Amino acid sequence: MADSKPTTRLQQLIHRTDRVLAVMHAPTAAHARLMELAGAEAAFVGTSGVVGTYTGLADVGVATMTECLTIAGWIAQSVRFPVIVDGDTGHGGIMAVRRLVAEAIRAGLAGIRIDDQPIEGKRSTQDAGVEVVPLEQAIVRYRAAVDMKHELDPDFVIMAQCYARDAANGGLEDCLQRLRAYEEVAGVDWVQFESPHSVEEIQQARASVSGPLSFMRGKLPRYVSLEEHQALGVFIAWYPAFTHEVM
């Protein structure tokens, strides 16, 4: 697997079921190299935790596509493991989403996370007042990303981040419906549950989708361990903040 391209490696990692993949932020290229030496298998470049650190910009959709991809590209080019970039809400309509995916592939990135929040009014994770776009609009957004990756590199990973659980216009049932639709209708490679309130909700999300699933800490009282992830049938652990805590 070490000799395969980053997108292929990431596809293999997210579909692996013999052990859990831990995904953390790569705060800088130098830290990414340290992570690689320590055995990290993949990393995430978030708009808040990484791009915001470089630019001083808040995670409310004001960092441009070029800024995000430039920083993420520097980090991806410094290591051999696959790097995932935060695509926010896609930086525009479907043509902007297509360009975002194309430029991410050209920058050497292995995957992208795209939110289902509206472009105007995007808020940081766990902020009050979060909303989600209508389901049909979200599917069109993700479908544009999926179509573009199939044109350039079918192994490039599209991850859909679902904010519906705590959204002012959402709820748990809407979230579960969206996770399923993003996988089955939009055809994304991986779905992420942004704000579970309990282990039982994670179990419901796991039952709703058949492919790669991860979840953020959300309203859980603590991070879920790797062993607990495996027991839940979730083989990707989303731990972006751990590297910042070490620093």
Side-chain angles (χ1 to χ4, degrees), residues 14 39 71 84 130 152 158 162 187 198 206 209 229 232 239 242:
I14 67 173
I71 292 167
I84 305 151
V130 165
L152 296 180
I158 306 295
C162 182
S198 66
R206 178 68 281 174
V209 297
H229 274 80
L232 288 165
Y239 295 149
F242 281 18

Side-chain angles (χ1 to χ4, degrees), residues 155-175:
D155 283 344
F156 185 80
V157 171
I158 306 295
M159 188 249 271
Q161 164 116 314
C162 182
Y163 280 90
R165 174 63 180 92
D166 287 342
N169 59 341
L172 178 59
E173 289 306 316
D174 183 39
C175 178

